Amino acid sequence: MNLQPRAASYRVLAALCYLPPVAVGVLVMPEYRGIRHLRYHALQSLLLVAASFGGAMLIGWLGALLGNLPWLGFFLLSFSGLLISIWMLGMVGLAVYAAVMAYQGKSTRFWGVDRYVRRLDRWVEKRFTTLPAAPAEPPKRRRRTGPRP
């Protein structure tokens, strides 16, 4: 099955890759894992999910640490909850934007994530999508057409 990676069904699947279960499914299934456009969007969505939870945890830890300060701690602790909500809404907005761009057949590059997405993409391509090498044929003997010495 040799379909173009920018075909309508692949563009829909690339947009759906921004739902984490679909992204994992694309990376697990060999027929989809071999398509670079789908693999790129699946890896980018999983890294966006990891970045969103990592950022939320970092903000929460900072709020918990600074929440012990007298007088100011209560306000910093409640402000960290608001920051986590804003952070997560921003990450959902980025994922929706990337899904729309993927549906249009384009790749979106996010500043802190793109380098790791490309690195992971090369690793997955080398590790899981290479075909086994065909056995080498023995070299053919050339016939001499001229006189022998």
Side-chain angles (χ1 to χ4, degrees):
M1 182 194 275
N2 189 7
L3 297 174
Q4 294 295 324
R6 309 276 187 202
S9 61
Y10 286 129
R11 288 187 292 133
V12 169
L13 192 56
L16 288 175
C17 276
Y18 287 92
L19 298 171
V22 176
V24 171
V26 164
L27 290 175
V28 168
M29 298 174 75
E31 60 269 11
Y32 294 132
R33 187 176 52 219
I35 301 168
R36 174 170 276 161
H37 186 67
L38 292 178
R39 191 174 59 233
Y40 179 84
H41 286 290
L43 289 170
Q44 181 166 287
S45 72
L46 292 177
L47 283 177
L48 278 176
V49 167
S52 65
F53 284 120
M57 287 177 56
L58 181 67
I59 294 169
W61 285 338
L62 284 175
L65 287 174
L66 297 177
N68 291 329
L69 295 174
W71 297 93
L72 191 60
F74 176 74
F75 296 109
L76 289 175
L77 190 59
S78 61
F79 187 66
S80 70
L82 179 66
L83 277 179
I84 289 173
S85 300
I86 291 171
W87 172 261
M88 293 303 267
L89 281 174
M91 294 305 270
V92 167
L94 283 177
V96 168
Y97 172 73
V100 169
M101 295 301 282
Y103 181 72
Q104 293 175 357
K106 301 174 184 174
S107 294
T108 309
R109 292 181 169 186
F110 293 120
W111 173 74
V113 178
D114 185 56
R115 184 172 88 187
Y116 300 108
V117 170
R118 291 182 184 278
R119 208 179 275 173
L120 272 174
D121 185 35
R122 284 192 302 268
W123 183 79
V124 168
E125 186 175 25
K126 275 191 239 176
R127 176 86 179 185
F128 296 109
T129 60
T130 56
L131 297 173
E137 293 182 17
K140 292 184 179 180
R141 298 183 78 166
R142 293 183 105 189
R143 281 188 155 169
R144 279 194 140 186
T145 55
R148 293 193 172 184

